[in-house]
Amino acid sequence: MSETRQMDKPAPAKAQPSLAKASGSMAIATLASRITGFLSRIVLVVVVGSGVITDSYQVGMTIPLQVYELLLGGVLSSIIVPLLVRAEKEDEDGGEAYTQRLLTMAPVILLVATVVMVLAAPLLTTIYVDGSSTSKARPDLVTAFAFLLLPEILFFGLGALFTAILNARGVFGLPAWAPVFNNLVVLVTLGVYLLVPGDPTINPLAMSDPKLLVLGIGTTLGIVVQSLVVLPAMRRAGIRFKWRWGWDRRLTEFGGLALWMLVYVVLGLVGVIVVTRIATAALPGSMTSYNLAWQLFQLPYGILGFSLLTAIMPRMSKAAADNNVRGVVADLSLGSRLLTTMLLPLSAGMTVLGSQLGVALFFYGANTLSSAQQIGTTLAVSAFGLVPYAITMMQLRVFYAMKDARTPAMLQLVTVAVKIGLSILCVQVLDPHTMVLGLAFVNSMSFLVGAVAGNIWLRVRLGRLESGRLGRTFGLSLVGSLLGALSVVLVHTATLEFAPIGTSPRLIAWIVLIVGSVLGLAVAFGSMMLLKVTELNPAMSRITRLLRRR
């Protein structure tokens, strides 16, 4: 009887304000991180261009970058946080010994894996790059970059572990700021790259050693700084490192979860391999356009969505640890509705602003107008997947909170299967000029399929999911988003109509981007307020309080 009462216990009402506060503070740090990160990518394109060299560098970064997105993107944290929350609740020492065992074993495993990956760099290049497409991405140059960039795997893993431990203790600040330090190091690296002698070529033997070493080592150094800068926060949180080699039964549990996580990561890499091989066999610059559009795609999710999911994970884990199914469903519903409300207007905006966004941000230096437009158009055709992507990330955290890593791996299998199948279809029906657009569209379509599959799986597992509330929020948010997008189209049309002949495309793009963004978001969120989208209330209350203080 007591178990039934516990299962029916609703989520604590007082948790929501703390969630808004935690996610809001992280959003500021993440905004700085994403801005500086994207600035570093813009500088990379301006300094090096978006051709063969940058494509080769991007491919060399693919494996460690995927580790970053899959580990720091929440997968490893989503596994560790529930286990640490349970250890803190169950152990007399508050989970200290369990934490120390993780801190002892994880670095050793990561180091071994990193050494193996570095030694296998030439083999990895043959997997990711078609050797016959030497005019698009040079395998020898990719291998040279890979030797310098693959050591990042060790530090990406350590950073993910440190972040998960801090998040379980309710510490979100410094981990959210850590990527900013990485981005600053990369910006300095690109400055040094400009100053060192030599002219980069597509032949790594002719490319001056300083150029190659500065770009590769400098990029890796940024990740080292990012992972180690959180150590003071760990000390302040009372986390003390001590070699502890003994076994804990929950390490077996963690090993099982980690094994399924490895399946999840490998499946993701398989999808990336297929896309990378297709993109590098298309026009030069296609891989760079795809990656930069993907970074732009993730920008709103990284600022708003990831902050919310990071804040909601510990409380969802506590509800799952208490067998509080209603609490888990309530957190899932709230998180999904907040993600929809925040991201749907931005998705609509990126769809209609994509081309201008590419020109405004990337039409500089060595990059051409057509390359900049391609980056923006690639973003535009994929922007519809932003909300499904965020919802999928939310769904994964529900399974991880319940200590289920198998189902996320199965969902990843569905998503990757759709991505691979449709990507191969792109090769059959598209020409090299439009290949990157097809790949970006397919990527977002796979997220949509994954979100639908995840919803079905969760309904079987948890029962009713408050889908009606989510449907209402989505419908009202969609109306507001479409009105906002329409206002952006009107701004674009008016700018082209009244701009003097000969006006710089870059200037037109910035005018449309600034005026359209401000007006579009105002119309979208204003319409949503008039339509009484209640999920906006916490944010509007905070804004109102800030204005009253002034």
Side-chain angles (χ1 to χ4, degrees), residues 141-189:
L141 186 56
V142 171
T143 301
F145 276 123
F147 278 125
L148 297 173
L149 298 173
L150 285 172
E152 295 175 1
I153 292 175
L154 169 63
F155 297 97
F156 273 135
L158 289 176
L161 177 62
F162 297 158
T163 298
I165 293 172
L166 288 170
N167 288 169
R169 300 284 181 102
V171 179
F172 303 103
L174 189 54
W177 284 100
V180 176
F181 294 91
N182 166 39
N183 298 330
L184 294 177
V185 172
V186 172
L187 286 170
V188 172
T189 296

Side-chain angles (χ1 to χ4, degrees), residues 282-283 286 426-438:
L283 293 179
S286 294
C426 286
V427 177
Q428 305 300 320
V429 301
L430 299 178
D431 60 51
H433 293 83
T434 57
M435 188 67 66
V436 67
L437 303 183

Side-chain angles (χ1 to χ4, degrees), residues 1-157:
M1 191 71 171
S2 60
E3 182 179 348
T4 303
R5 291 196 193 100
Q6 181 67 22
M7 293 283 286
D8 291 340
K9 179 182 174 184
K14 65 179 181 180
Q16 185 169 334
S18 62
L19 174 62
K21 182 178 179 181
S23 59
S25 62
M26 276 188 293
I28 298 174
T30 310
L31 175 62
S33 167
R34 296 290 173 161
I35 289 175
T36 54
F38 211 79
L39 177 61
S40 69
R41 290 172 179 85
I42 293 174
V43 174
L44 172 68
V45 173
V46 170
V47 171
V48 187
S50 60
V52 177
I53 296 172
T54 310
D55 273 2
S56 300
Y57 172 80
Q58 295 283 357
V59 176
M61 273 290 293
T62 295
I63 295 178
L65 192 61
Q66 284 299 300
V67 172
Y68 170 78
E69 292 177 353
L70 294 171
L71 294 184
L72 290 187
V75 175
L76 183 60
S77 297
S78 299
I79 288 177
I80 294 179
V81 169
L83 296 177
L84 291 174
V85 168
R86 291 171 188 264
E88 184 178 355
K89 178 181 178 181
E90 298 170 358
D91 295 358
E92 292 183 1
D93 64 353
E96 180 178 0
Y98 182 66
T99 301
Q100 289 174 346
R101 287 190 175 94
L102 283 176
L103 288 171
T104 299
M105 299 183 65
V108 176
I109 296 172
L110 286 167
L111 179 60
V112 172
T114 301
V115 171
V116 172
M117 296 295 275
V118 171
L119 294 176
L123 175 62
L124 294 172
T125 297
T126 63
I127 294 174
Y128 277 85
V129 180
D130 181 357
S132 65
S133 59
T134 53
S135 64
K136 285 84 176 179
R138 290 293 302 266
D140 46 4
L141 186 56
V142 171
T143 301
F145 276 123
F147 278 125
L148 297 173
L149 298 173
L150 285 172
E152 295 175 1
I153 292 175
L154 169 63
F155 297 97
F156 273 135

Side-chain angles (χ1 to χ4, degrees), residues 195-275:
L195 297 177
V196 297
D199 295 320
T201 73
I202 62 174
N203 184 350
L205 299 179
M207 183 181 184
S208 66
D209 287 345
K211 290 280 190 185
L212 181 65
L213 293 175
V214 164
L215 192 55
I217 295 176
T219 303
T220 298
L221 180 61
I223 306 305
V224 175
V225 172
Q226 174 178 307
S227 65
L228 300 183
V229 76
V230 300
L231 292 180
M234 294 184 67
R235 187 171 185 83
R236 286 194 300 271
I239 301 167
R240 299 290 183 266
F241 176 79
K242 178 182 177 182
W243 291 108
R244 192 182 290 266
W245 292 99
W247 195 256
D248 186 304
R249 60 177 176 79
R250 288 164 304 193
L251 290 177
T252 303
E253 184 178 41
F254 172 74
L257 295 173
L259 181 61
W260 282 112
M261 184 197 74
L262 179 62
V263 173
Y264 179 97
V265 172
V266 170
L267 287 172
L269 287 174
V270 170
V272 172
I273 288 170
V274 173
V275 171

